[in-house]
Amino acid sequence: MILEMLKAQRITSFVFPPDITDVRPFVWSGYIAEVKYTFIVKLPYSLDQASTEIRAKIKKATAAGYRSALTQDMGEVYQCLEGTETRQGFSHHLTRQDLELAQSLLGDQAFRAYVCYAPDGEPVSTSVIVSLDGRRAFGWIAASKTEHLNYGVVQQSQSLALQDLSNLGFAEFDFAGANIPTIAYSKTNWGGQVTPYYLIRSPGMKEILRAGLHWLRFIRNSHQPL
């Protein structure tokens, strides 16, 4: 695999699942390895594992008339993606057609999309789960419309996803990343185990810029009071 990648000589990056822990052959070949972190929960899942904050938000969403369900309509999912993109100023680089293609290629068992609906039926939050082996699933996309975030819509749809995966016999769910403090905080409240995984990158000019940014961040943080 490494020999074929070296022949291509392309700038790329990819991540390994957490159970692959020995990436030395890539490092020996000149690739850059970086440790990342995620949260993994064992299934079947019980909501008792979640924090009181999570449970309170789910109750708030239910009391306000929100409901969550599995959907086959990628138009509903795409609406929620647009909401997050507008709020955070970035693009998922996914079209509705991309979502439909992934859905058709992977099938209903490996590609599962959950949507939370407002009382009037508007799709307001989504969680898309992907599995490649029928045992482990991971969160691929999560997105919501800004005006509904404070009602617990994210937590309600995520809770449904964990229950559904449990009913299907999956063994674990990977939240797929907990490397930004705010995101890490929201995911730790589900009661999962923090777990390292590796990101592999081919070297390039961006590494020089990245090293400079890391140095500046270190210098700035070193002057902050502990």
Side-chain angles (χ1 to χ4, degrees), residues 18-68:
D19 54 330
I20 295 180
T21 57
D22 187 356
V23 297
R24 291 175 298 169
F26 287 90
V27 176
W28 293 336
S29 298
Y31 286 91
I32 298 166
E34 182 178 351
V35 180
K36 296 286 189 176
Y37 294 90
T38 186
F39 282 101
I40 293 179
V41 294
K42 299 299 181 182
L43 303 177
Y45 185 80
S46 170
L47 199 55
D48 293 337
Q49 296 172 236
S51 68
T52 55
E53 180 182 350
I54 292 287
R55 296 198 298 269
K57 287 183 176 180
I58 294 172
K59 290 180 179 178
K60 181 178 181 179
T62 303
Y66 290 87
R67 64 177 182 86
S68 294

Side-chain angles (χ1 to χ4, degrees), residues 77-96 98-99 141-146:
V77 173
Y78 188 68
Q79 284 185 47
C80 298
L81 263 62
E82 290 180 312
T84 290
E85 290 174 349
T86 300
R87 181 175 70 256
Q88 298 189 1
F90 76 101
S91 172
H92 288 92
H93 300 290
L94 290 169
T95 65
R96 176 175 176 172
D98 292 331
L99 295 170
I141 304 169
S144 303
K145 296 180 180 179
T146 304

Side-chain angles (χ1 to χ4, degrees), residues 27-173:
V27 176
W28 293 336
S29 298
Y31 286 91
I32 298 166
E34 182 178 351
V35 180
K36 296 286 189 176
Y37 294 90
T38 186
F39 282 101
I40 293 179
V41 294
K42 299 299 181 182
L43 303 177
Y45 185 80
S46 170
L47 199 55
D48 293 337
Q49 296 172 236
S51 68
T52 55
E53 180 182 350
I54 292 287
R55 296 198 298 269
K57 287 183 176 180
I58 294 172
K59 290 180 179 178
K60 181 178 181 179
T62 303
Y66 290 87
R67 64 177 182 86
S68 294
L70 188 69
T71 185
Q72 301 294 324
D73 187 344
M74 293 303 102
E76 295 179 342
V77 173
Y78 188 68
Q79 284 185 47
C80 298
L81 263 62
E82 290 180 312
T84 290
E85 290 174 349
T86 300
R87 181 175 70 256
Q88 298 189 1
F90 76 101
S91 172
H92 288 92
H93 300 290
L94 290 169
T95 65
R96 176 175 176 172
Q97 290 72 29
D98 292 331
L99 295 170
E100 291 171 345
L101 178 60
Q103 182 184 38
S104 65
L105 290 174
L106 293 175
D108 293 342
Q109 183 77 3
F111 183 98
R112 302 183 74 77
Y114 308 88
V115 167
C116 179
Y117 301 91
D120 63 359
E122 176 191 3
V124 298
S125 182
T126 189
S127 177
V128 180
I129 308 300
V130 171
S131 170
L132 301 180
D133 62 4
R135 177 180 171 273
R136 295 170 296 182
F138 65 90
W140 182 38
I141 304 169
S144 303
K145 296 180 180 179
T146 304
E147 59 270 28
H148 298 271
L149 277 174
N150 292 331
Y151 289 94
V153 295
V154 174
Q155 292 74 21
Q156 190 190 75
S157 63
Q158 184 65 68
S159 175
L160 173 65
L162 292 172
Q163 187 58 58
D164 182 55
L165 294 172
S166 298
N167 294 340
L168 290 172
F170 282 87
E172 65 181 36
F173 175 73

